[in-house]
Amino acid sequence: MSGQIVLALKGVQRHYEQGEKRLSILSGADFVLHRGEMVALVAPSGAGKSTLLHTAGLLERPDAGEVVLAGRDCGKLNDQERTAVRRNDIGFVYQFHHLLPEFTAVENIAIPQMIKGLSPREATARAEQLLDYMKIGKRGHHRPAELSGGEQQRVAIARAVANAPLVLLADEPTGNLDPVTASYVFDAMEALVRQSGLCALIATHNHELAARMNRRVTLQDGKIVDF
């Protein structure tokens, strides 16, 4: 796919020590993600999908190689710099929504924006706009426990993109949903990616949803290869 490269992994290695044994998860992984592109990461459990997403999202440091975001090698940044990049440039969506239970849907989306520096009024307005876009605007003043699973996940997606990140990283975002709801949530996520121009790497076991993305990749022997 042509277009601006937003995220690039170059020779990334990631391993863990288990007693005297070294477990290699990523072994010189190379990968690029272009603006406006949605890529499915399809691999069996234990293959390293979460490790790849955590490393790409600066939650874990690579043991070797580079994680380049918008032309900047972020792998060697200090903790404060990495936190700033995650807050401003990377959105995360997980299998479980991780919404704050004591706050409404609007508040859950507004809080990250206020942490970034927006006023409560500006953050609330954007949160309401995103919920309207996700077709759950009327549910904005409900708390997570009052929302369905699909509604909760759409709130989580709206929260992930509220600060206009460059990259969306999603780890089984529809894994807890029935097929019809999963398709609807994916439609909403896809519309946001297309409308905003951000790019997304989405780990999924759902081959039907994976087939709807621009391309599919998997992990083999610690490397990222086309599926």
Side-chain angles (χ1 to χ4, degrees), residues 116-138:
K116 188 178 179 181
L118 265 66
S119 70
R121 176 178 292 183
E122 291 173 314
T124 297
R126 176 158 171 76
E128 291 174 343
Q129 182 182 46
L130 283 167
L131 287 174
D132 284 339
Y133 196 83
M134 303 293 280
K135 296 183 170 58
I136 52 171
K138 294 181 179 179

Side-chain angles (χ1 to χ4, degrees), residues 2 6 15 21 34 36-37 56 61 64 67 75 82-83 91 96 122 133 141 154 161 166 169 193 198 208:
S2 60
V6 178
H15 59 259
K21 183 179 180 181
H34 300 84
E37 183 181 34
R61 292 184 184 275
V67 179
R82 290 159 63 85
T83 297
F96 185 71
E122 291 173 314
Y133 196 83
H141 296 287
R154 276 180 276 168
V161 303
L166 299 174
L169 301 174
V193 170
L198 62 83
E208 183 177 333

Side-chain angles (χ1 to χ4, degrees), residues 19 54 97 105 114 146 186:
H54 290 171
H97 55 78
M114 289 188 287
E146 301 170 314
F186 180 82

Side-chain angles (χ1 to χ4, degrees), residues 1 18 32 37 47 60 72 77 81 85 95 103 121 123 126 160 170 180-181 188 202 207 223:
M1 180 173 178
Q18 290 188 336
V32 294
E37 183 181 34
E60 298 184 23
R72 182 186 188 190
L77 299 178
E81 291 169 330
V85 172
Q95 183 170 351
F103 294 103
R121 176 178 292 183
R126 176 158 171 76
V180 173
T181 305
I202 302 169
H207 288 269
K223 291 181 169 56

